[in-house]
Amino acid sequence: MAILEIVKYPDKRLREPCANITKFDARLANLASDMAETMYAAPGIGLAAPQIGVNERLIVVDISKKGTELIVFVNPVIESMEETTESEEGCLSIPDYRDIILRQNRITVRAQDLHGNFFEKSAEGLFAICIQHEVDHLNGILFVDHLSRLKKDLFKKWAKKNLLED
Ligand code: K1U
Ligand code: ZN
């Protein structure tokens, strides 16, 4: 197990669509385990593989306060979404920035587990929002991409000052 470095905005690796996973082997299990450890250490409630520089469709999510409800989604596909809601989000790849965007409050997601078995999950509230945030990462999308033009401009100014001038 290892805590990995989290890729930060504006790194180009966060902008690439990820590839489907076809091999359900020990390498995949180790990758998921390292991602979970990295997420808990951050701390965060989710993490997507591109955030640790791996261009593959793998996410881990645990919204429980005790960190006891880890779910690993391989090749997740959101099959349905309903009820637009406001969501205040942060991102481990954009440290110290939070903003409000619109998401869907209820979703169903189909994915595979670490053995390649397909499963379907219904999610709502923070769980649904976190899955949408992580699946966006797999498509090279960041939560700030959902901001209005005005808020996006403010974010870019903030990022220039706080993330690029390190
Ligand atoms: O993918 C990521 O960058 C992780 C991100 C997920 C997320 C946060 C908020 C809404 C939707 C998705 C985070 O986990 S940021 C940290 C965070 O929100 C948090 C950390 C500790 C306890 C509770 C929340
Ligand atoms: Zn994120």
Side-chain angles (χ1 to χ4, degrees), residues 28-163:
L28 181 64
N30 286 332
L31 178 60
S33 168
D34 286 350
M35 282 174 56
E37 197 180 355
T38 304
M39 172 187 74
Y40 289 128
I45 55 172
L47 194 73
Q51 293 181 280
I52 48 131
V54 175
N55 184 244
E56 296 179 32
R57 302 190 80 82
L58 172 65
I59 67 174
V60 294
V61 173
D62 187 346
I63 62 155
S64 74
K65 293 215 167 74
K66 290 184 188 159
T68 51
E69 289 169 34
L70 177 70
I71 306 180
V72 177
F73 297 86
V74 182
N75 301 325
V77 176
I78 296 175
E79 295 201 310
S80 67
M81 320 178 130
E82 57 187 72
E83 201 188 313
T84 304
T85 186
E86 285 192 345
S87 164
E88 188 185 330
E89 301 192 11
C91 179
L92 297 175
S93 295
I94 311 175
D96 303 323
Y97 188 83
R98 296 187 75 80
D99 216 329
I100 295 169
I101 60 165
L102 295 179
R103 293 273 191 205
Q104 301 302 307
N105 193 43
R106 271 197 301 275
I107 65 166
T108 58
V109 58
R110 185 171 154 81
Q112 286 163 280
D113 65 17
L114 289 171
H115 304 289
N117 300 312
F118 283 92
F119 65 94
E120 199 169 88
K121 250 195 190 318
S122 298
E124 73 174 272
L126 182 59
F127 186 29
I129 282 164
C130 190
I131 293 168
Q132 289 165 74
H133 179 114
E134 303 310 334
V135 171
D136 267 359
H137 273 302
L138 302 183
N139 296 321
I141 296 167
L142 300 173
F143 84 96
V144 290
D145 298 339
H146 296 288
L147 294 170
S148 67
R149 170 65 65 85
L150 177 67
K151 279 175 137 195
K152 221 177 268 176
D153 287 346
L154 290 172
F155 163 71
K156 282 184 183 153
K157 280 190 188 128
W158 177 90
K160 213 169 177 183
K161 186 167 178 346
N162 293 281
L163 299 180

